[in-house]
Amino acid sequence: MTISHGPDLRSHSADGDGIPAEMPSFSSAQIARTTLIERLDAIVDSDEHRVLLICSPAGSGKTVLLADWASRLWARTSRRPALGWISVSEHPAPGLSLWQTLRDQLGLPNPPQRRTVDAPDFDAAHLVEALTARGTPTVIVIDDAHLVAEPLALAGLEHFLLHAPPTVTTVVSGRFDPPLHWHLLGLTERSTRWGAADLAMTSTEVAALCREHHCELDDAELATVLDLTHGWAALVRITAMCLVANPDRAAALGVLARPPRAVSDFLVGELIGALPTSVRLFVTYTSVPASFTEKMADELIGGGATHTLYELDRMNFPVSSIARGGEVWFSYHPMLRAYFLAEVNRLGAQARAELHLRTANALRRAGLPRQALTHLLAVGDPRHLRNLLVEHGTTMVLDGDGAALFGELQRARPSMLDDPFVWLLRVLDALFHGSAADAQAYLDVAGSRGSRPSFVPAHWIDALTVAATVDAAAATGMVAGDLAVAAVPPTGNPDIDCYLAIQSATALMVGEQLGRAEEVLSRGLALALHAGHPRLALRALTRLTFIACGREATAAMRDRAGRALALAAEHGLLGTPDAAQAMTAAGLAAYLRGEEPDPSHIAAALSQHAVQDGSESPLAGWHGYVVGLLLAVEQGADRRTAVDDLRRATQLLLDKDTVPAATATVVPHVVWALLSVSEPLAAQLLAERGQRLLGDLPDVTVARAAVAEAAGHSQAVLALVEPLLDGANDARPSTLVTGWLLYSSAQHASGNRAKARTGLENALRHAAADHLVRPFLDVPNAIELLDVYAGRWGRLDEFGDLVRRNRNTARRSTHPALTDAELTVLKHLPSGRTAQQIAGDLGVSINTVKTHLRSIYAKFGANSRVAALDFARRSGVL
């Protein structure tokens, strides 16, 4: 073993101040690795880890980084450590010792005469003793340490690393770990290890290195270079030189992915050339998949993967690993894999096809049909591709891989795209991405291809056609004839049957058979979860949320929407139409409960997405979009503009051939919004338009009654709502609550206080179960009526008081405000206790209580306790 200067390095000359002559320097400025240098400084300053092991392939910048760092250490004006630097050579020279060189560099005394020949750590032990005795901060760098192979030198290195004093920081750098007993020596706890990932250049550093070669990269080109090189310094430099030499930047980047001769020469010279034949064959075969498990490697190579992977790890070959799905997946550096893929092509067409088929089959067994597809397209035999689509085609679409599937088929097997089954898969893909117009177009094409034979059974085509028709109708809001699918038998394909169950429930929902729909959806949800299809499970949960919306069960709306969104977040589906609809439902639940909707839920309801013709469509559907605008009215600074936007969107919704019952639900809310900004004519026109297009549905009738109430036509209000209230079973809860509030208001205005009280009691009874506060905020006189009749509802009083305390209530009260003391006395009056008893409760004199009572009576214009309480309730003070 000896000390070596690499061919591209020059050394410092000793200057008498202790800087090592062996430490390399460079004739040109290097890219500053500021972050890594700061991490190196932190290790020197730390009291925990005194050994740093840097192991990474050739050309990753180890020596350059350490030389730059050591030079900076030596340039310090304070806290400058002593420096020792060794570069190990693979050609040992007799008589030259690593420890002797370090002693010379650090100015330490020579050891005494060796006493025995079997003390391999004698020199290292003496160096430890000398450094301990000196006690000054010292940094020692041993570069190319992978070349330390002599047993005596290894034993000495082990001893030194284990026993060096805490004032010494040792950096051991090499292409792979020196064969030391790291775990036995206890060095794991005392050391820090850096690998290739730690030394990888950042995007800023890559851009700077390319600029050094007069190669300016835009953001997209920089991202491509990073993807190709993974920040491997030597490859970045070669890439920069290749890009400068080729004026066609895009073409040059394409060539780099193959890779070019300069990259191949570097990889062969520094990595591949040293591989044994068996290991090189292993890497060639396992480069076919983008990543592989040990089991897949055995299938590709025929066994022995465990031993070869161990050898690659021992050599620190650039193989990255990640745990996924309970298994460890290995992958090679992109440029390295590109080299070996070229080796695969040299094996011949038959061997290449066999490797791709083995890879595809292994990926299918691993549950990765999307990755298997690429390899089956390279096989050439279409039978394997058809088998994949039969077994996994629906799964791929439901897992979000539809675009990749159709893109690959378009590239390599365009004729297969015209199969009826593939057209139906395109319908499903469009529906799950919210492109209802595209889905309908594909469905029409699939219908025209229905007479053609398919590679899947005919009853699969029938089931998918019916289910997709229902799904498309639901997505567009159109009633497309008879949506019943109960007569369609199961196919035996779990994916199709799960999808069919969910669409069966959708058809039942459209037919307003909510109980039966909920039962079928629950079964479909269980199937989706069992089959591992989060998109179908999300759709089932969203449709269950719709059922809760139809019943206006606000607690269930929030609970089911929350479950849907938790599932969407877990599987990265928050940007899907189903998630947007779940957020819309959660926002609507808050609105109905008189609470503030989450702004993110409003944003989701209002979000748009591009469709095939280049236009945009609401992600949550038109009904969800109108609900989003309704929620936004309460949030916006310009309420009048927000209401006008809501009116126009509602008119568009009415013009669509939608499900009348679903469209009618928003009409009364929009009418109330228009009346709140003093637009009675617009409200009247909208209500009349709703009646003309949707008929005399309960929601439309309530909207018309709201217009009559705003005009002060009490008898017209009663004429509209009384028949509705007699047939109460057909109306939604909020419609009933609003109807009873309008009835109560009209009766109160007519002087029929008993009927007004009865109507208010019915409104509270229908509202309390689902916490429906919103109707009380919409009907103008509802809060005043609650104030007038407060305290007379028994068990309903609690909900009535909750409504009256809602932060959005608006009362027209002009009485002077009470002081805190007066308010305290007022709150004791409903108890019926005397002034003397109240004084005792409060710990004040009776005269103080009487003074407060006189002030309360004066402010309220009352002359008795009963009158004061009545005014307090009507004005919302109590």
Side-chain angles (χ1 to χ4, degrees):
M1 177 182 66
T2 187
I3 311 306
S4 169
H5 310 296
D8 59 336
L9 307 178
R10 60 185 179 85
S11 65
H12 290 284
S13 60
D15 57 9
D17 293 328
I19 186 169
E22 289 79 11
M23 192 179 79
S25 63
F26 305 90
S27 55
S28 60
Q30 302 301 308
I31 301 300
R33 311 294 303 275
T34 307
T35 302
L36 291 178
I37 287 174
E38 289 174 352
R39 290 176 62 186
L40 287 165
D41 287 341
I43 291 173
V44 173
D45 296 335
S46 170
D47 293 330
E48 296 180 4
H49 298 148
R50 310 308 303 173
V51 177
L52 171 63
L53 175 63
I54 302 179
C55 290
S56 62
S60 54
K62 301 181 294 296
T63 301
V64 174
L65 168 67
L66 293 174
D68 186 19
W69 172 60
S71 297
R72 292 170 186 262
L73 284 178
W74 188 253
R76 285 181 178 181
T77 57
S78 62
R79 298 186 300 109
R80 184 174 67 183
L83 287 174
W85 181 292
I86 294 294
S87 293
V88 182
S89 169
E90 60 183 329
H91 304 294
L96 188 57
S97 164
L98 179 150
W99 314 113
Q100 181 64 53
T101 303
L102 286 175
R103 277 193 297 271
D104 293 343
Q105 290 181 0
L106 299 172
L108 296 171
N110 290 325
Q113 183 66 34
R114 186 189 296 268
R115 291 185 295 274
T116 64
V117 296
D118 50 3
D121 56 358
F122 176 79
D123 287 336
H126 182 269
L127 181 60
V128 168
E129 292 174 1
L131 289 169
T132 302
R134 173 178 284 184
T136 58
T138 304
V139 172
I140 294 174
V141 177
I142 303 175
D143 196 23
D144 288 332
H146 60 282
L147 297 176
V148 179
E150 297 169 333
L152 293 179
L154 288 171
L157 182 56
E158 282 185 357
H159 182 92
F160 180 81
L161 294 178
L162 187 60
H163 296 97
T167 55
V168 175
T169 300
T170 307
V171 181
V172 180
S173 173
R175 298 186 183 183
F176 50 83
D177 298 22
L180 306 180
H181 300 93
W182 295 90
H183 62 291
L184 296 178
L185 292 171
L187 286 173
T188 302
E189 293 77 18
R190 299 182 56 199
S191 63
T192 301
R193 191 183 196 282
W194 288 5
D198 296 280
L199 266 66
M201 301 183 78
T202 66
S203 59
T204 302
E205 292 165 347
V206 169
L209 182 55
C210 290
R211 279 195 299 273
E212 182 184 296
H213 290 274
H214 310 290
C215 176
E216 289 284 348
L217 301 176
D218 60 30
D219 291 343
E221 292 166 346
L222 178 59
T224 301
V225 170
L226 278 170
D227 287 341
L228 287 171
T229 64
H230 284 194
W232 192 339
L235 294 181
V236 173
R237 191 175 295 277
I238 294 171
T239 296
M241 291 187 290
C242 291
L243 292 177
V244 168
N246 192 334
D248 187 343
R249 188 68 58 82
L253 289 171
V255 169
L256 284 167
R258 283 202 278 272
R261 181 68 170 272
V263 173
S264 297
D265 290 347
F266 169 77
L267 294 175
V268 170
E270 299 293 346
L271 282 173
I272 299 170
L275 293 177
T277 302
S278 60
V279 175
R280 183 165 178 166
L281 186 64
F282 175 90
V283 178
T284 302
Y285 281 27
T286 54
S287 290
V288 175
S291 59
F292 60 92
T293 63
E294 186 176 311
K295 181 179 179 181
M296 287 178 60
D298 277 332
E299 294 177 12
L300 288 171
I301 201 68
T306 302
H307 174 73
T308 308
L309 286 170
Y310 172 79
E311 283 298 305
L312 290 172
D313 182 62
R314 186 186 62 79
M315 293 184 289
N316 201 34
F317 195 76
V319 183
S320 59
S321 61
I322 185 172
R324 187 173 68 238
E327 293 188 279
V328 178
W329 289 80
F330 302 92
S331 58
Y332 300 117
H333 186 282
M335 285 187 161
L336 195 60
R337 179 177 178 240
Y339 174 88
F340 281 102
L341 284 176
E343 294 284 290
V344 170
N345 290 331
R346 296 187 186 97
L347 297 176
Q350 184 174 351
R352 183 171 64 248
E354 178 63 25
L355 279 173
H356 279 293
L357 183 57
R358 288 187 197 176
T359 301
N361 290 335
L363 289 169
R364 289 173 66 179
R365 286 189 289 272
L368 298 171
R370 161 67 188 89
Q371 290 82 346
L373 172 66
T374 302
H375 297 283
L376 287 180
L377 290 171
V379 172
D381 189 339
R383 292 176 300 173
H384 301 294
L385 183 58
R386 286 195 293 268
N387 290 338
L388 176 75
L389 293 178
V390 169
E391 185 177 353
H392 297 290
T394 312
T395 302
M396 292 173 67
V397 171
L398 296 178
D399 287 347
D401 291 326
L405 168 63
F406 307 129
E408 292 277 22
L409 292 179
Q410 180 66 49
R411 177 183 61 83
R413 292 287 185 276
S415 60
M416 198 168 287
L417 286 172
D418 205 31
D419 187 275
F421 177 64
V422 178
W423 277 113
L424 288 168
L425 292 182
R426 298 186 78 159
V427 175
L428 265 64
D429 183 65
L431 288 169
F432 274 95
H433 285 87
S435 302
D438 293 352
Q440 190 60 55
Y442 296 146
L443 191 58
D444 292 342
V445 176
S448 68
R449 302 293 196 275
S451 59
R452 295 187 180 185
S454 174
F455 53 80
V456 302
H459 63 284
W460 287 22
I461 301 295
D462 295 339
L464 271 177
T465 300
V466 172
T469 300
V470 173
D471 204 358
T476 57
M478 307 297 180
V479 181
D482 183 10
L483 296 182
V485 295
V488 180
T491 64
N493 181 303
D495 298 331
I496 296 176
D497 290 342
C498 182
Y499 180 62
L500 184 63
I502 293 173
Q503 299 318 315
S504 298
T506 302
L508 292 168
M509 287 171 57
V510 172
E512 299 188 30
Q513 301 179 52
L514 299 186
R516 176 63 178 151
E518 192 165 25
E519 178 185 336
V520 176
L521 269 177
S522 297
R523 186 171 71 250
L525 174 60
L527 286 172
L529 292 173
H530 178 74
H533 289 314
R535 287 173 178 263
L536 280 179
L538 175 60
R539 175 146 299 183
L541 278 169
T542 303
R543 299 282 162 87
L544 283 168
T545 305
F546 288 171
I547 291 176
C549 289
R551 294 170 173 160
E552 292 186 330
T554 58
M557 290 166 66
R558 291 200 301 190
D559 177 66
R560 293 176 181 182
R563 289 172 60 196
L565 295 175
L567 180 74
E570 180 183 355
H571 296 281
L573 300 174
L574 286 174
T576 62
D578 289 312
Q581 290 166 353
M583 292 187 202
T584 303
L588 180 60
Y591 179 82
L592 291 174
R593 295 171 70 93
E595 302 165 358
E596 296 293 332
D598 188 319
S600 66
H601 294 166
I602 300 175
L606 297 177
S607 60
Q608 305 275 329
H609 71 115
V611 295
Q612 194 174 40
D613 62 3
S615 63
E616 290 191 331
S617 177
L619 188 62
W622 271 103
H623 185 275
Y625 181 71
V626 172
V627 171
L629 289 173
L630 175 67
L631 304 181
V633 166
E634 303 297 320
Q635 307 289 322
D638 187 349
R639 184 181 178 89
R640 183 171 293 277
T641 299
V643 170
D644 195 50
D645 292 339
L646 173 62
R647 175 188 60 80
R648 287 196 299 269
T650 306
Q651 289 176 336
L652 287 173
L653 180 64
L654 286 168
D655 289 339
K656 296 178 179 292
D657 184 16
T658 57
V659 179
T663 302
T665 60
V666 302
V667 174
H669 294 296
V670 180
V671 165
W672 286 122
L674 287 165
L675 292 173
S676 72
V677 293
S678 302
E679 290 287 350
L681 179 58
Q684 178 183 351
L685 292 174
L686 183 65
E688 291 174 352
R689 187 185 186 90
Q691 182 190 25
R692 185 169 64 254
L693 296 175
L694 304 176
D696 290 318
L697 294 173
D699 294 296
V700 177
T701 300
V702 164
R704 294 170 60 208
V707 173
E709 197 275 345
H713 298 154
S714 298
Q715 293 306 312
V717 171
L718 294 173
L720 286 166
V721 300
E722 284 179 334
L724 170 68
L725 300 176
D726 288 340
N729 290 333
D730 295 331
R732 295 179 304 113
S734 69
T735 304
L736 287 176
V737 175
T738 306
W740 280 116
L741 288 175
L742 289 169
Y743 172 87
S744 179
S745 178
Q747 294 291 3
H748 185 80
S750 300
N752 297 322
R753 296 178 65 86
K755 290 185 176 180
R757 183 179 178 281
T758 300
L760 195 56
E761 183 177 7
N762 285 329
L764 287 169
R765 179 165 51 81
H766 286 290
D770 294 308
H771 204 97
L772 296 172
V773 173
R774 189 69 217 179
F776 295 89
L777 305 180
D778 286 333
V779 178
N781 298 323
I783 301 300
E784 283 78 2
L785 289 171
L786 286 176
D787 291 339
V788 170
Y789 297 103
R792 306 178 188 183
W793 314 120
R795 62 185 178 82
L796 294 174
D797 275 334
E798 183 179 357
F799 179 70
D801 291 342
L802 184 145
V803 173
R804 295 169 63 231
R805 291 193 300 268
N806 187 279
R807 64 192 300 271
N808 294 312
T809 57
R811 294 180 175 87
R812 294 181 291 275
S813 177
T814 58
H815 66 80
L818 300 181
T819 66
D820 290 342
E822 291 166 352
L823 185 60
T824 301
V825 171
L826 177 65
K827 288 179 178 179
H828 280 71
L829 296 186
S831 67
R833 295 173 69 78
T834 65
Q836 182 67 57
Q837 291 170 326
I838 294 174
D841 293 341
L842 298 179
V844 298
S845 70
I846 188 172
N847 290 331
T848 300
V849 172
K850 288 181 177 179
T851 299
H852 290 324
L853 284 174
R854 284 193 297 272
S855 179
I856 292 169
Y857 292 168
K859 290 179 178 180
F860 285 1
N863 55 14
S864 68
R865 178 181 291 203
V866 172
L869 285 173
D870 181 65
F871 183 88
R873 291 188 177 108
R874 285 188 289 107
S875 61
V877 177
L878 285 180

